[in-house]
Amino acid sequence: MATEEDVRRICLGMPCVSERLSWGQPAWFAKTLMARIWEDGVVTVKTDEREALAAMEPDTYFWTPHHDHSPKLLLIRLEGIDVDELDELLQESYRIAGGRAG
């Protein structure tokens, strides 16, 4: 099971990522937003695999009508994901958000 502290550690371990509040929640930015705590125990990331992930594990991966206009945004229930998989998804989100070695 991953935690918000795992999200923070992974994000801040990437080049040129900063943390600040977005909508009152901790968020991490590369060139653009790459991850944000949506609510306790849930993180938003960007992925090219939203549909597939949500179809395979809907108890872990999902989105709300708020996210319908942004087809790359995916919500993850941290209790349903291990740290290695979280790391992979955050790396992808970093890439989509414009992150690169700095």
Side-chain angles (χ1 to χ4, degrees), residues 46-53 71-72 89 92 95-96:
K46 293 179 178 178
T47 180
D48 292 325
E49 304 296 327
R50 177 169 95 165
E51 301 278 341
L53 288 166
K72 291 194 182 298
L89 286 165
E92 179 185 14
R95 178 187 57 77
I96 292 169

Side-chain angles (χ1 to χ4, degrees), residues 10-86:
I10 293 165
C11 289
L12 293 178
M14 296 180 209
C16 303
V17 171
S18 62
E19 179 178 341
R20 62 184 183 268
L21 292 180
S22 173
W23 295 90
Q25 296 286 355
W28 297 270
F29 293 80
K31 187 174 182 180
T32 63
L33 178 76
M34 65 173 279
R36 182 172 80 81
I37 298 300
W38 178 253
E39 59 189 35
D40 285 345
V42 178
V43 65
T44 307
V45 300
K46 293 179 178 178
T47 180
D48 292 325
E49 304 296 327
R50 177 169 95 165
E51 301 278 341
L53 288 166
M56 289 187 308
E57 294 184 52
D59 290 339
T60 299
Y61 305 107
F62 66 105
W63 66 90
T64 69
H66 172 83
H67 301 95
D68 283 343
H69 70 284
S70 301
K72 291 194 182 298
L73 293 180
L74 177 69
L75 296 170
I76 304 169
R77 288 184 181 94
L78 293 172
E79 67 184 17
I81 189 172
D82 67 35
V83 175
D84 289 338
E85 189 169 356
L86 175 65

